[in-house]
Amino acid sequence: FFGLKKEQAIGLSLIDTAQNPELDAAFKKAMQTGEKIQLEVKTLFPQPRILETTITVLNTPRAKGAVAILHDVSELRRLETVRREFVANASHELQTPITAIKAISETLQGEGIEEEDLRRFMRDIEQQADRLGSLVSDLLSLAAVESGPAQYDMTEIDLKEIVASVIRQFEPQAHNYGVILESDIEENLLVRADWAALHKILSNLLDNAIKYNQPGHKAGISATIEGETATIRVWDTGIGMLSSELPRIFERFYRVDKMRSRELGGTGLGLSIVRHLVESIGGQISVDSKPGKGSEFFLRLPLADKED
Ligand code: ADP
């Protein structure tokens, strides 16, 4: 933990070896009081670590001293921080539509509201309720995919069939946005995956390809085979993203354009669900994008064994 070799340490004082004043002070205190001491020691060298430390005094006829047991809890603390941030983000996201619904209902209780305004307020409430619904449903999906890979049923899937089903599902939405959908998958291209997981992955990617697009532009799904792997490409000729944004878009609640995502009913969770699902079914995902040109997501999946 301290980047030391035994030979370098013997005969030197603790502060000269471990070079950690917190640890040194705790040892001294333990020796003075004779009591067991527990503390968290932080190190920077050879790498940043958080060490849960217990110091116990030893008093034997032959030796007087103290022993410290150091337990590396860095990963545990990191996960706790991630979880805390997640809870804070989720609460904030849920709070926004709740506050909006409350504000609208308070306004509605006022007097002399015109018929036209009434309808608009009702539509707003419905929109906010839909938003709450999407958030809760995405949070549940995320909880399900994070709980482990046990529930996946890996079977042979005809790519043309599953892509046709996804495209069919999104035709109405694409029509509303004025986006033209295309698909190009050859016959008998069989991959090994879980049907529901792959359907959800393609749906989330195509949903984005339509949402972050422009009327008259295109979105679609195509596939190629390279060796034992099928590469499925979900593409669009929409607004695209800066390459500096790309490493972050799979993070929970990360959105490039918060306003646009919210207006389109986005939760910022779609791609983190995609990433989890892809990992759970043994695939890989990557992305390429250019602002104003469009985006391409590449999903790599193992081909199904033809002899099966
Ligand atoms: P959201 O619910 O906001 O769509 P996602 O996790 O699905 O959340 O995506 C995260 C962010 O990545 C989006 O808010 C958007 O800014 C960006 N993004 C995702 N897909 C695309 C795309 N095809 N074109 C442009 N931007 C995209």
Side-chain angles (χ1 to χ4, degrees):
F1 290 152
F2 297 96
L4 281 173
K5 289 208 168 61
K6 196 169 154 189
E7 310 82 66
Q8 296 171 308
I10 288 174
L12 292 180
S13 69
L14 183 63
I15 189 75
D16 288 336
T17 49
Q19 299 194 347
N20 190 303
E22 272 173 303
L23 185 66
D24 189 58
F27 257 103
K28 284 188 175 135
K29 191 168 166 208
M31 295 290 285
Q32 273 162 14
T33 60
E35 277 169 14
K36 180 162 123 184
I37 290 190
Q38 278 175 317
L39 77 156
E40 271 189 9
V41 171
K42 293 193 176 70
T43 63
L44 288 173
F45 179 82
Q47 70 181 68
R49 278 199 178 100
I50 301 172
L51 303 167
E52 199 174 72
T53 307
T54 307
I55 303 174
T56 316
V57 174
L58 286 180
N59 244 333
T60 65
R62 284 185 53 216
K64 189 166 158 29
V67 172
I69 294 171
L70 305 156
H71 182 204
D72 187 350
V73 291
S74 319
E75 183 58 14
L76 202 68
R77 293 289 178 272
R78 191 188 67 78
L79 290 174
E80 280 168 5
T81 310
V82 168
R83 199 183 58 103
R84 249 198 317 273
E85 281 172 3
F86 174 69
V87 171
N89 277 329
S91 316
H92 176 76
E93 292 292 335
L94 291 168
Q95 195 68 53
T96 315
I98 292 172
T99 310
I101 290 175
K102 218 169 139 41
I104 300 167
S105 19
E106 275 166 15
T107 315
L108 281 175
Q109 285 170 44
E111 279 164 28
I113 294 169
E114 307 265 328
E115 179 87 4
E116 199 183 307
D117 288 337
L118 197 66
R119 261 201 291 277
R120 186 165 52 83
F121 283 139
M122 290 304 188
R123 267 200 309 275
D124 287 348
I125 290 186
E126 194 183 353
Q127 224 173 42
Q128 297 297 337
D130 283 347
R131 197 172 144 59
L132 270 178
S134 317
L135 266 167
V136 171
S137 135
D138 276 359
L139 284 169
L140 286 174
S141 298
L142 196 62
V145 292
E146 286 189 343
S147 68
Q151 63 273 49
Y152 298 101
D153 178 20
M154 303 296 281
T155 55
E156 215 172 74
I157 295 174
D158 186 331
L159 213 50
K160 199 175 176 73
E161 212 177 289
I162 197 164
V163 167
S165 152
V166 174
I167 296 268
R168 222 177 303 124
Q169 183 191 328
F170 282 93
E171 284 290 2
Q173 187 183 329
H175 183 77
N176 280 345
Y177 284 103
V179 171
I180 302 139
L181 291 187
E182 288 181 1
S183 73
D184 180 16
I185 314 279
E186 60 187 81
E187 303 277 338
N188 288 324
L189 210 174
L190 303 178
V191 291
R192 178 157 298 281
D194 173 279
W195 173 278
L198 183 55
H199 205 276
K200 178 103 185 155
I201 293 167
L202 296 176
S203 300
N204 282 4
L205 293 176
L206 193 62
D207 182 34
N208 284 344
I210 297 168
K211 278 194 310 195
Y212 304 106
N213 215 320
Q214 301 163 65
H217 283 237
K218 291 179 179 175
I221 307 180
S222 64
T224 50
I225 301 176
E226 288 154 31
E228 302 285 291
T229 314
T231 302
I232 306 163
R233 181 172 153 261
V234 183
W235 57 272
D236 64 72
T237 58
I239 61 171
M241 291 169 273
L242 287 169
S243 57
S244 57
E245 302 278 3
L246 301 181
R248 299 209 59 192
I249 57 169
F250 290 95
E251 286 175 22
R252 299 187 289 200
F253 295 116
Y254 189 80
R255 295 149 163 142
V256 177
D257 181 345
K258 254 194 157 80
M259 281 297 290
R260 182 167 178 137
S261 161
R262 283 232 174 98
E263 273 166 24
L264 300 171
T267 61
L269 292 174
L271 287 180
S272 54
I273 294 170
V274 164
R275 190 187 57 183
H276 267 287
L277 287 173
V278 170
E279 281 169 8
S280 303
I281 61 170
Q284 285 173 336
I285 187 149
S286 58
V287 55
D288 197 8
S289 188
K290 277 206 180 64
K293 289 261 184 268
S295 309
E296 295 175 291
F297 286 81
F298 300 96
L299 168 64
R300 284 176 195 82
L301 287 179
L303 288 175
D305 209 346
K306 290 262 163 56
E307 281 101 70
D308 276 4

